Amino acid sequence: MDSVKELMIADYYKEDYSSVILKANDILKIAKDNKLNNEISKIRSFLANSYLNLNDSIKSLEYARKNIQLAKKLNDNTSLVGSHIDLGNIYYAFGKPDKAINSFKEGIPVAKEDNNNLALFFLNHNIAQIYFDHYNQHKEAKPYLDTAELHIPKDFKIGHAGLNLYKADYAYRINDYDLAIDLYKQAILLSKETNNLDVLKKAYNGYIECLAFKGNYQKAYDIGKLKDSLFLEQSKLEIKKSADNLITSLKNAKIQEELKTEALRNELIVEKSETQRKLLIFSAVVFLVLLGLLFYLLKVTKNRRKLNNELKIKNKEYLEAKLESEKLAEAKSRFLSTMSHELRTPLYGIIGLSTVLNNDSNLKSHKTELQSLKFSADYLLNLVNDVLTLNKMDSDEKIKFESKAFHLKDFLNNIKESLEYLTRQTNNDLVITLNPNIPKWINGDQTKMSQVLINLLGNALKFTTNGKVELVVSLLDLKKNDLKLKFEVKDNGQGIPIADQQKIFEEFGQLKHKGDFQGSGLGLTIVQKLLIDMKSNIQLESVVDEGSNFFFEITFGTTKKKHANEEIEDTVSIEMLRGKKILVVDDNRINLMVTKKTLESHDIVVEVATNGQEGIDKIMLTDYDLVLMDVHMPIMDGIEATKKIRELQKPVIVIALTAVTQDEQDDRFKSAQFDDSIVKPYKVNEFIKTLATNLITKPL
């Protein structure tokens, strides 16, 4: 193989590319049979460049791409860099300069990793060449030219010739003709020494133009005559060389074809006699097989008719059962969705009233009972949300995810606050650890993230007593538009046996424990499904009697523009709202009372209306700072009322106060031109901040 390889390389430098291809294919077969991956890579490189010189773009690209795949598979940086250089040269030769530049750029970090100075020279030099020769952009070429000069080996004369040529071109473009002349002269001397005719011709042309710009026309004329005579003689040699190469290629092709024809003729003679002998044996066997097959087919046909009749009956029964199942599933989905929505409205009243009563100083003696009431209502709300989410996941309805800016630290503190009662009841310490390098504001679906974290933290608190539960948020990666975080929920509770670790992620899968709190068995199922939809996955590490760690990695968006109320504390929001005039439109008397009391407890002037028409009548007579509008109401609903308010062209902020979540809002809701929306039930701090934010971002 080595002797054939040496002949192939000799043919390549003689530019006998047809002969190279013939020999390379023979060597490549041997290399593949013996799994000589380095040899395979080298031979493919010769094939790619030979096809390039024969103007066969398809074959040339094919071998270069195969080399890149092989180099990546073998983790061979040297071959990978060489393949990127080959691919870039091929792209450029066939009129795809952008792809050529991309290929060269992809090779640069690999060459840097291996400290491959020669490769770094070629990659940067080739990029600079494309910017000069194709795009005529000398400024864009300059950084790559400088980098190429840093890495060129001292004794690499061919490289220095090309480098001096483009350095001279740059000096010429910036009108430094003296420097350009010196560099063109160096390029001419080196290209003559290395017989690099392409560089020599360009260097002469540049030298002549510089002389002309400096007014030395006589010398420019003399150099031009010298160049013409030199290249005239060279053209004759090139024509003769091309003719010799063509004759050699034709001879090689003819010899190879004759050898193949002779080998094929010999094979056919041998195979013909063997085929005749086998044909007789095969014919006898086939006859016997066909005879047996005929009897078998008769039997199969009879059985098949019987089975087809039975299958038709079963298919009919299956379709009827399927239709009935789909009707039941649709009815269940409608029922759960309707019930979930209906439950949110009274829950808003219960949570709101318990919050108002809990803040009443006259009811301090009942604080424990009121906190228990609020915890129960919050727990029921989470359960309703879990049931609705699971119902959507089990149906064909796709869960919608929103991407909205939110303050991560405030978001986590709100979750901690919502679990305060459960934390006290289990006598645990709930700690949040947030990496300080994580941006304050991120883009994502905080509602879905809240559902995930509340379920995980709630489980950790239930299964831990007199211990510690910790939420750790770590920064994994921060790019221009993406932020990758790791969330860990750790506890030092009773732990989960390995045999049960899969069971807990199944619907209604529960483990027995000594605590007073029992769950629905839906939480971890929903966590798992939500994270999968968010392109993440929940993982678990647990040791019995030592504790558990539920963790996942997830990507959020980054936001350059800070939220309008980033620096606003609750006290500032409250102070801003003090004395503002707000109209609350809601047909539910209890909800109306809760919203009114919540606002009045913050020194806000409140007026109420029980339907959309009544709200419009009041807005026409009175100027309000803000309107809280329920969506579903008799006489006139909130959507229609908001549209009519916009027609009045009164500068008033309208915020939807609704039990409909973001992913349940239909087109009518989204087209109503609400300034914002608040989902009932809400947390008072978030409620107040939302009102203040809208007054800041859209001042009246």
Side-chain angles (χ1 to χ4, degrees):
M1 186 177 81
D2 290 339
S3 59
V4 178
K5 182 180 174 183
E6 289 174 3
L7 290 171
M8 178 199 72
I9 294 171
D11 286 343
Y12 183 83
Y13 288 109
K14 291 177 187 175
E15 300 181 13
D16 186 358
Y17 301 117
S18 298
S19 179
V20 171
I21 291 169
L22 291 172
K23 292 182 175 69
N25 279 312
D26 292 337
I27 302 170
L28 187 60
K29 186 177 185 304
I30 297 170
K32 285 181 177 178
D33 291 342
N34 292 277
K35 298 182 179 178
L36 303 174
N37 291 317
N38 288 331
E39 290 299 322
I40 291 171
S41 180
K42 291 174 184 176
I43 299 305
R44 281 179 179 165
S45 180
F46 275 106
L47 283 166
N49 284 287
S50 295
Y51 278 115
L52 169 63
N53 285 291
L54 292 173
N55 291 318
D56 189 338
S57 63
I58 295 175
K59 283 287 187 182
S60 184
L61 286 170
E62 177 188 338
Y63 283 109
R65 287 168 179 159
K66 283 182 178 178
N67 258 2
I68 287 178
Q69 292 172 358
L70 179 61
K72 286 181 178 178
K73 182 180 178 180
L74 299 175
N75 199 22
D76 185 346
N77 284 353
T78 303
S79 294
L80 184 58
V81 170
S83 301
H84 275 299
I85 293 173
D86 284 345
L87 186 62
N89 289 335
I90 293 165
Y91 275 134
Y92 186 51
F94 291 109
K96 296 180 178 179
D98 289 338
K99 289 188 175 181
I101 289 174
N102 288 337
S103 183
F104 293 139
K105 285 183 177 179
E106 286 178 19
I108 288 174
V110 184
K112 283 183 179 177
E113 186 178 334
D114 273 13
N115 293 320
N116 191 336
N117 284 322
L118 184 60
L120 286 169
F121 163 73
F122 276 121
L123 291 163
N124 286 282
H125 176 274
N126 291 357
I127 294 172
Q129 179 184 2
I130 294 173
Y131 279 123
F132 268 113
D133 294 349
H134 185 83
Y135 292 112
N136 199 25
Q137 296 174 348
H138 62 284
K139 291 182 180 178
E140 285 76 1
K142 186 64 164 62
Y144 295 100
L145 204 59
D146 292 341
T147 306
E149 189 171 14
L150 290 174
H151 294 284
I152 188 170
K154 291 182 179 179
D155 56 349
F156 187 33
K157 293 182 179 180
I158 294 176
H160 278 290
L163 187 63
N164 283 332
L165 171 67
Y166 288 111
K167 285 170 63 179
D169 283 349
Y170 182 80
Y172 171 75
R173 302 279 180 92
I174 61 173
N175 302 326
D176 190 347
Y177 301 118
D178 292 330
L179 176 60
I181 287 172
D182 289 340
L183 290 168
Y184 280 130
K185 285 180 179 179
Q186 292 178 42
I188 289 168
L189 290 173
L190 287 169
S191 57
K192 282 182 178 179
E193 188 175 344
T194 57
N195 198 29
N196 191 336
L197 298 179
D198 186 48
V199 173
L200 182 62
K201 186 175 182 179
K202 291 179 179 178
Y204 265 126
N205 288 336
Y207 184 24
I208 292 166
E209 288 185 19
C210 285
L211 290 172
F213 269 106
K214 288 180 65 68
N216 196 343
Y217 300 110
Q218 182 59 47
K219 189 170 183 179
Y221 175 74
D222 293 340
I223 295 295
K225 288 175 65 179
L226 177 63
K227 182 200 77 168
D228 291 342
S229 63
L230 177 67
F231 281 100
L232 180 62
E233 185 63 30
Q234 191 62 43
S235 295
K236 293 178 181 178
L237 292 174
E238 286 294 324
I239 292 168
K240 185 178 183 304
K241 186 177 180 181
S242 297
D244 291 343
N245 286 341
L246 180 59
I247 292 168
T248 303
S249 298
L250 290 171
K251 285 181 179 178
N252 286 335
K254 185 177 180 181
I255 292 168
Q256 192 69 18
E257 190 62 35
E258 287 175 354
L259 289 172
K260 286 182 179 178
T261 303
E262 184 63 28
L264 184 61
R265 186 181 296 114
N266 292 334
E267 287 178 8
L268 286 172
I269 293 169
V270 174
E271 287 179 2
K272 187 174 181 180
S273 59
E274 183 66 19
T275 300
Q276 287 176 346
R277 185 181 69 83
K278 290 179 179 179
L279 186 60
L280 290 172
I281 298 171
F282 179 74
S283 299
V285 172
V286 168
F287 175 76
L288 293 174
V289 170
L290 288 175
L291 189 62
L293 186 62
L294 178 62
F295 287 109
Y296 174 74
L297 287 174
L298 290 172
K299 185 178 178 181
V300 167
T301 302
K302 184 178 179 181
N303 290 334
R304 187 176 180 182
R305 286 175 185 166
K306 182 180 177 182
L307 288 173
N308 280 339
N309 291 332
E310 292 176 356
L311 186 60
K312 286 178 181 178
I313 295 170
K314 292 292 183 184
N315 279 341
K316 185 178 179 183
E317 291 174 355
Y318 166 74
L319 289 172
E320 290 174 353
K322 182 174 178 288
L323 290 171
E324 185 64 25
S325 175
E326 288 174 349
K327 287 179 182 177
L328 289 173
E330 186 179 349
K332 183 198 82 169
S333 178
R334 283 200 308 269
F335 170 75
L336 289 174
S337 180
T338 302
M339 288 305 297
S340 298
H341 295 158
E342 289 298 319
L343 283 169
R344 282 199 190 115
T345 300
L347 276 173
Y348 169 59
I350 297 170
I351 293 171
L353 283 173
S354 62
T355 303
V356 171
L357 294 173
N358 193 40
N359 294 331
D360 192 334
S361 58
N362 296 323
L363 297 173
K364 285 184 178 179
S365 60
H366 297 286
K367 195 170 187 69
T368 302
E369 292 88 343
L370 289 169
Q371 286 178 341
S372 297
L373 175 64
K374 186 175 185 304
F375 171 76
S376 298
D378 285 336
Y379 178 82
L380 183 56
L381 175 62
N382 288 333
L383 180 59
V384 168
N385 288 336
D386 285 349
V387 169
L388 186 60
T389 301
L390 190 62
N391 177 52
K392 287 186 177 181
M393 288 176 172
D394 291 340
S395 68
D396 293 333
E397 185 177 356
K398 191 174 181 181
I399 297 291
K400 296 178 182 176
F401 292 89
E402 63 175 357
S403 182
K404 190 175 181 182
F406 65 95
H407 193 284
L408 182 59
K409 186 175 181 180
D410 285 354
F411 167 71
L412 297 177
N413 286 334
N414 287 335
I415 290 176
K416 181 179 180 181
E417 181 185 333
S418 69
L419 295 168
E420 184 179 349
Y421 176 80
L422 182 56
T423 305
R424 287 201 309 271
Q425 290 296 103
T426 53
N427 197 29
N428 285 313
D429 186 15
L430 178 56
V431 178
I432 295 177
T433 304
L434 181 63
N435 187 309
N437 295 322
I438 298 174
K440 293 180 181 179
W441 288 89
I442 64 176
N443 277 328
D445 193 325
Q446 62 175 326
T447 304
K448 301 297 186 298
M449 278 300 300
S450 174
Q451 208 167 349
V452 168
L453 293 177
I454 285 176
N455 273 309
L456 291 176
L457 289 168
N459 276 351
L461 290 167
K462 291 174 191 176
F463 283 82
T464 307
T465 306
N466 303 318
K468 179 181 178 182
V469 175
E470 186 177 11
L471 171 60
V472 181
V473 187
S474 309
L475 177 62
L476 297 181
D477 193 17
L478 177 59
K479 295 180 181 177
K480 184 177 180 182
N481 297 316
D482 290 326
L483 171 70
K484 192 173 186 179
L485 302 180
K486 181 179 182 181
F487 287 80
E488 297 178 86
V489 176
K490 303 178 180 179
D491 67 67
N492 56 2
Q494 65 189 57
I496 304 168
I498 293 176
D500 292 329
Q501 289 184 10
Q502 185 61 37
K503 176 184 174 183
I504 60 175
F505 290 101
E506 299 172 1
E507 287 184 24
F508 309 108
Q510 293 176 298
L511 303 180
K512 293 182 180 179
H513 69 99
K514 300 175 183 178
D516 296 327
F517 299 96
Q518 291 291 336
S520 63
L522 297 176
L524 287 176
T525 303
I526 288 167
V527 166
Q528 187 179 50
K529 290 184 177 182
L530 280 175
L531 286 176
I532 288 173
D533 284 345
M534 289 191 281
K535 296 180 176 59
S536 180
N537 187 37
I538 187 71
Q539 299 182 65
L540 167 63
E541 294 175 353
S542 185
V543 179
V544 175
D545 296 329
E546 291 186 16
S548 303
N549 180 15
F550 288 84
F551 58 95
F552 60 91
E553 298 174 3
I554 191 165
T555 301
F556 293 96
T558 57
T559 175
K560 292 181 181 178
K561 184 178 180 182
K562 294 185 177 181
H563 201 277
N565 68 336
E566 179 178 352
E567 305 299 332
I568 294 179
E569 299 293 336
D570 286 350
T571 53
V572 179
S573 299
I574 293 167
E575 188 61 35
M576 176 179 293
L577 291 170
R578 186 171 284 121
K580 296 293 183 182
K581 197 167 188 178
I582 294 179
L583 174 66
V584 182
V585 186
D586 197 327
D587 65 313
N588 187 295
R589 299 287 181 178
I590 296 175
N591 292 347
L592 198 62
M593 177 181 66
V594 170
T595 306
K596 187 172 185 293
K597 283 184 173 293
T598 301
L599 293 172
E600 288 178 342
S601 67
H602 293 86
D603 297 329
I604 298 169
V605 179
V606 182
E607 290 188 10
V608 299
T610 58
N611 60 66
Q613 185 58 58
E614 186 180 342
I616 291 172
D617 293 340
K618 290 196 172 189
I619 289 168
M620 291 177 69
L621 298 174
T622 308
D623 291 330
Y624 296 100
D625 296 297
L626 191 144
V627 176
L628 290 171
M629 181 73 72
D630 187 23
V631 175
H632 299 294
M633 293 181 292
I635 303 176
M636 181 184 291
D637 64 22
I639 294 173
E640 188 64 29
T642 304
K643 288 180 178 179
K644 290 191 177 294
I645 291 169
R646 297 309 182 203
E647 291 173 4
L648 295 174
Q649 296 186 344
K650 293 199 74 170
V652 61
I653 297 168
V654 182
I655 298 177
L657 188 60
T658 175
V660 179
T661 61
Q662 179 76 23
D663 59 349
E664 295 164 355
Q665 295 170 8
D666 58 21
D667 294 335
R668 288 177 61 249
F669 188 104
K670 293 172 183 175
S671 65
Q673 299 182 52
F674 290 112
D675 292 293
D676 206 341
S677 64
I678 299 172
V679 178
K680 300 184 290 189
Y682 50 75
K683 296 188 183 301
V684 174
N685 286 344
E686 294 177 0
F687 176 64
I688 294 300
K689 275 190 176 183
T690 301
L691 301 184
T693 301
N694 277 276
L695 288 171
I696 292 171
T697 56
K698 192 174 180 181
L700 300 175

